[in-house]
Amino acid sequence: MSDKTGVVSEDTSSRLVVLFLTYRLYILGAASLFVFALVAFALYHLTAEVRYDEVLAALSATSWSAIALAALFTGLSFFALILYDVNALDHVGRKAPFPSVAVTAFMAYAVGNTVGFGPLSGGAIRFRAYSRLGLTPGEIARIIAFVTLSFGLGLLGVSALATLAVAPRVAGIIGVDALWLRVIAGAVVAGLAAVFYVGRNGRVLTMKGFRLRLPDSGTASRQFLVSALDIAAAASVLYVLLPETHVGWPTFLAIYAVAIGFGVLSHVPAGLGVFEAVIMAGLSNAIGIDQLLGSLVLYRLIYYVLPLLLATLLLLLTEMRQLALRPGVAEAAQLAGKLAPALIATLSLLLGAMLIFSSVVPTPDTDLDLLSGYLPLPIVEGAHFLSSLIGLLLIVAARGLGQRLDGAWWVALAGAAIAFAFAFLKAIAVFEAALLALFIVALLANARAFDRHSSLLRQALGPSWLMAIAVIIVTATFILLFVYRDTNYAHDLWWQFEFSEEAPRGLRALLGLAIAASTLALSSLLRPAHYRTEGPTPEELKQAVAVTMQQDVADANLVRMGDKRLMFSPSGRSYIMYGIHGRSWIALADPIGAEEEFPELVWQFVGAARAGGGRAAFYQISPALLGACADVGLRAFKLGELATIDLAEFELKGSRFANLRQSYNRGLRDGLTFSVVPPGEVASILDDLRTVSDGWLDHHNAKEKTFSLGAFADDYVLSQPVAVVRLAERIVAFATLMVTDTKAEATVDLMRFAPDAPKGTMDFLFASILDYLRNEKYARFNLGMAPLSGMARREAAPVWDRVGGALFEHGERFYNFKGLRAFKSKFHPRWEPRYLAVSNGTGAVLALMDVTFLIGGGVKGVISK
């Protein structure tokens, strides 16, 4: 009974883990939204004595000199942020032109600070930009890790030092004993000092097989100074916007650092609400809440919105040919153009939120009086109501803009144009209209970047986008309740239509927005069952084989198995072969055919997978495809390394292959003979090959595999040359050869031998194949991939690489990783990395599980094997 209970418990736990991994983003998104809702509720009660007019008065009381000073400190902070990336590149040992690094870092922080979630994060932008500058996914991951860790440690160090300096003052403000504050701050400083001392010479720490190289004293000191400059400048932006107060700058710096930390930990986009709540809780005893709210609104506009607008202007400037053609600027301009979709998508999201928020705040009385003299009330009411819905439309379009959809471009352009007109009809909102005009100009100037044909409405919104919309709606609800706090809410409000009745107008706009957003969310969450594409028709298979024979990748002959689905480019000159298991649409290796069509074919595949409710993944792709995968928002995870032999340098008579030559000569002495049977003659020996294959499978207690490997299927074996080894006219071993007409590459798929074949038969077969291919003038031989080979286990290596490296080092009981690498190393090959590209870390794990099931023939096949 206990054994059965244990099995059930283990099975239940496994299912729970799989469920969590599958719906992890939804669970985390719901948790972040719950935290944000609690914060919004707390803020509503914290501002119980504050009125909207008081906040406006505090805003108007801020001097222009304070605003200019805040803008100056914003520029200083972003300069420090650019230095984060400069130091990170130096740490990983790579160089890049400073203008390109500056453009990438500035846009990454402008986007990441504003929205700070998944598809529009700074990390995604860095991956797209740095991959185009020649950095590998591992190096980019180390850059992102370096930047993230530097900011975290810098934040800890600055806040701890500031707290040590002004502990009594901070304690008086937040109500905590000063001694405890100093103890905690001192412990943090001591811990950071210990790390600094241990890594002073770039020391390498080894922990359970993992190696971590700490930054040397120079790098650590330089980065701490950069972090301190960044945090101090960012804090100064808000500090100069505050009214006159007895709170000193060091005290404020400590509170600001804590607020930033909580905002980051909350996972709410841009820390919205969480940051404000901590600042207000820390300073409410020293500064009036109404003044604090006014300063916080200005801080958000200057530190978050202003850089995004400047980045958009920078993007427009790069379109000027005279500027873009200058030496040193051309590369940065080209890079900015590549990042245009992400930047414009972020601006669309920001403008959508702006339209929603403006629909729940009152219009200035002077504007209403002017409008009432020229426009009928229904026009004003309709413009006000529809503006909020257009705001939601721009948020939805932001997702498509990030994916370069032409449909999203048209929707955003039309929506922004209508909203521009409504800005004057619902209120004389000049600032709002100016931002919409800038957005329209950016769309028109970069129209050629949005060239992907796909329906905007066919694709469901993911958890990150649904959470972002929910956060915006909760924020709009908070603003509405705050602005009209003194309004007596009753049923009659819904039917009050007057120029002076603005609370009902805001309620109706919010209700319409909530209904539209709920409908959108339900349609995304309750979409029809995922559709599955059909397998290839005989005509499609024939077309794919014709394309295969005219290109250089020998492994493309796996298409002959007919077990994979096919997706052709519009021209029919290229295709992707893929399989589907669970929610994973898994493309096998790079696309096949015309290389210039690969980027759009990648997008075509990803779009089809998303439209079908699936998760797109590319398995065993080469570095050449990483840029195209980054453009569609996929992350790369290293799988191992592919080994290839330069056949022009292969010579059995040479000393490099002495062991292989000995095996070959031993086979000759044993009476083994080698020959290659062309496809047209394989039928005459097919039964003999099947006998060898069946004996090999029985001897190894194995079953046929699929997807990334061939199986002994008659049509498949008959379609290719077969290398055979005979002993006294009996076939004792064979290998199916995969070749193309270009003779650029050759490889083998099925390699099998009879159980009674002489020892060393397979070495004889392999040596004979290499010698034969060399004489036939083939350029290289594909030895296949060594899984988990070449995974980084040191410095700031990604977790994926470190886990893979540990498995390679210590996982011999599960798979002969090191033995396979050692075997292939005997041929002195050239190693090239191979990757899995998928949407995120969890998606990579699930995609690999689905690949395993595809290769093994499903869950039952994997278990039985």
Side-chain angles (χ1 to χ4, degrees), residues 347-363:
L347 188 57
S348 179
L349 180 66
L350 179 67
L351 293 179
M354 177 191 70
L355 292 175
I356 290 172
F357 296 157
S358 68
S359 69
V360 297
V361 298
T363 304

Side-chain angles (χ1 to χ4, degrees), residues 172-175 246-247 280-289 292:
I173 292 177
I174 65 177
H246 60 276
V247 176
M280 292 171 67
L283 297 177
S284 58
N285 293 334
I287 304 173
I289 294 295
L292 263 179

Side-chain angles (χ1 to χ4, degrees), residues 94-337:
R94 294 300 299 266
K95 299 292 183 182
F98 181 78
S100 298
V101 176
V103 166
T104 299
F106 180 68
M107 289 189 173
Y109 286 111
V111 170
N113 287 351
T114 304
V115 292
F117 72 96
L120 296 179
S121 68
I125 289 177
R126 283 189 182 88
F127 196 93
R128 295 182 185 190
Y130 288 141
S131 62
R132 293 189 174 277
L133 293 177
L135 276 71
T136 67
E139 290 170 335
I140 299 171
R142 287 163 60 193
I143 288 173
I144 296 172
F146 181 90
V147 168
T148 304
L149 186 62
S150 296
F151 174 76
L153 293 179
L155 190 64
L156 271 176
V158 170
S159 58
L161 290 173
T163 302
L164 276 177
V166 292
R169 185 77 184 101
V170 175
I173 292 177
I174 65 177
V176 178
D177 187 83
L179 177 61
W180 279 110
L181 280 179
R182 279 184 166 148
V183 168
I184 295 172
V188 171
V189 172
L192 293 176
V195 172
F196 181 86
Y197 177 78
V198 170
R200 63 191 182 281
N201 296 319
R203 180 178 176 182
V204 177
L205 298 181
T206 303
M207 297 172 287
K208 296 183 178 180
F210 296 113
R211 299 179 65 206
L212 174 66
R213 183 172 67 84
L214 298 175
D216 57 59
S217 299
T219 302
S221 302
R222 187 168 61 248
Q223 189 55 40
F224 179 77
L225 290 176
V226 169
S227 301
L229 174 63
D230 165 37
I231 297 165
S236 298
V237 175
L238 179 55
Y239 187 73
V240 298
L241 295 172
L242 295 175
E244 290 294 332
T245 176
H246 60 276
V247 176
W249 185 82
T251 303
F252 175 78
L253 178 62
I255 296 174
Y256 177 88
V258 172
I260 287 292
F262 274 103
V264 172
L265 292 174
S266 69
H267 289 287
V268 175
L272 186 64
V274 179
F275 171 81
E276 284 79 2
V278 176
I279 290 290
M280 292 171 67
L283 297 177
S284 58
N285 293 334
I287 304 173
I289 294 295
D290 55 338
Q291 295 173 315
L292 263 179
L293 277 176
S295 299
L296 286 167
V297 170
L298 275 176
Y299 166 76
R300 286 285 184 182
L301 290 174
I302 294 172
Y303 192 75
Y304 289 82
V305 177
L306 181 59
L308 184 64
L309 298 180
L310 290 176
T312 305
L313 290 173
L314 174 65
L315 179 64
L316 294 177
L317 285 174
T318 60
E319 296 296 321
M320 298 171 60
R321 290 185 178 275
Q322 291 83 0
L323 179 65
L325 293 177
R326 290 186 179 180
V329 180
E331 187 178 56
Q334 185 180 17
L335 194 59

Side-chain angles (χ1 to χ4, degrees), residues 645-668 674 762-775 826-828:
I645 300 174
D646 185 351
L647 290 175
E649 298 180 359
F650 176 78
E651 178 60 66
L652 276 177
K653 298 177 181 178
S655 59
R656 297 178 66 191
F657 300 101
N659 292 333
L660 193 63
R661 183 175 65 253
Q662 292 175 5
S663 298
Y664 176 79
N665 292 332
R666 185 186 308 115
L668 292 176
F674 169 82
M762 296 309 288
D763 288 340
F764 175 82
L765 172 60
F766 200 77
S768 300
I769 289 173
L770 292 177
D771 194 51
Y772 166 81
L773 292 172
R774 177 181 177 275
N775 293 330
K826 293 190 301 183
F827 298 95
H828 309 285

Side-chain angles (χ1 to χ4, degrees), residues 631-652:
D631 281 344
V632 295
L634 303 185
R635 287 183 58 193
F637 301 85
K638 191 172 183 179
L639 292 173
E641 294 180 307
L642 183 79
T644 56
I645 300 174
D646 185 351
L647 290 175
E649 298 180 359
F650 176 78
E651 178 60 66
L652 276 177

Side-chain angles (χ1 to χ4, degrees), residues 423-716:
F424 297 99
L425 297 178
K426 68 176 182 176
I428 306 174
V430 177
F431 178 73
E432 184 176 299
L435 292 182
L436 288 166
L438 176 64
F439 179 62
I440 292 171
V441 172
L443 283 172
L444 293 173
N446 293 275
R448 64 184 181 277
F450 303 93
D451 55 356
R452 288 174 172 164
H453 306 293
S454 182
S455 170
L456 177 65
L457 301 179
R458 283 180 58 193
Q459 303 181 28
L461 290 175
S464 297
W465 288 97
L466 292 176
M467 186 191 75
I469 293 173
V471 165
I472 290 171
I473 293 176
V474 171
T475 303
T477 304
F478 165 78
I479 293 173
L480 178 74
L481 295 176
F482 171 76
V483 170
Y484 303 109
R485 188 187 294 274
D486 297 326
T487 300
N488 183 21
Y489 293 95
H491 292 297
D492 293 341
L493 278 178
W494 297 103
W495 316 112
Q496 292 180 5
F497 295 92
E498 298 288 343
F499 273 104
S500 59
E501 297 296 335
E502 299 203 69
R505 197 174 295 136
L507 278 173
R508 287 189 291 269
L510 186 60
L511 176 63
L513 176 69
I515 293 173
S518 299
T519 303
L520 182 67
L522 287 174
S523 66
S524 294
L525 295 172
L526 303 177
R527 290 177 69 84
H530 311 142
Y531 73 83
R532 300 298 181 92
T533 56
E534 300 296 330
T537 64
E539 293 75 17
E540 289 175 332
L541 195 58
K542 182 179 179 180
Q543 180 183 355
V545 170
V547 172
T548 296
M549 295 307 293
Q550 299 304 313
Q551 52 83 58
D552 296 341
V553 180
D555 275 333
N557 281 282
L558 286 169
V559 73
R560 298 176 185 271
M561 276 290 297
D563 62 337
K564 289 168 279 293
R565 296 165 170 84
L566 299 176
M567 180 176 292
F568 287 91
S569 65
S571 70
R573 297 188 299 126
S574 309
Y575 69 90
I576 286 177
M577 49 181 166
Y578 66 100
I580 299 178
H581 189 277
R583 289 187 57 241
S584 297
W585 291 41
I586 303 165
L588 179 59
D590 293 8
I592 306 301
E595 292 185 8
E596 64 272 14
E597 296 184 343
F598 288 2
E600 289 309 310
L601 192 52
V602 167
W603 162 245
Q604 182 181 332
F605 177 73
V606 173
R610 288 171 176 167
R615 173 196 309 111
F618 287 82
Y619 179 68
Q620 290 192 10
I621 61 172
S622 71
L625 200 68
L626 294 179
C629 290
D631 281 344
V632 295
L634 303 185
R635 287 183 58 193
F637 301 85
K638 191 172 183 179
L639 292 173
E641 294 180 307
L642 183 79
T644 56
I645 300 174
D646 185 351
L647 290 175
E649 298 180 359
F650 176 78
E651 178 60 66
L652 276 177
K653 298 177 181 178
S655 59
R656 297 178 66 191
F657 300 101
N659 292 333
L660 193 63
R661 183 175 65 253
Q662 292 175 5
S663 298
Y664 176 79
N665 292 332
R666 185 186 308 115
L668 292 176
R669 290 194 298 270
D670 290 339
L672 299 179
T673 59
F674 169 82
S675 64
V676 174
V677 182
E681 300 175 14
V682 174
S684 62
I685 60 170
L686 186 62
D687 290 338
D688 295 333
L689 299 179
R690 184 180 294 107
T691 299
V692 173
S693 177
D694 292 343
W696 184 87
L697 291 171
D698 291 340
H699 179 72
H700 290 85
N701 193 27
K703 294 184 178 180
E704 297 284 10
K705 292 179 171 57
T706 57
F707 190 60
S708 64
L709 299 169
F712 195 96
D714 289 2
D715 290 341
Y716 179 64

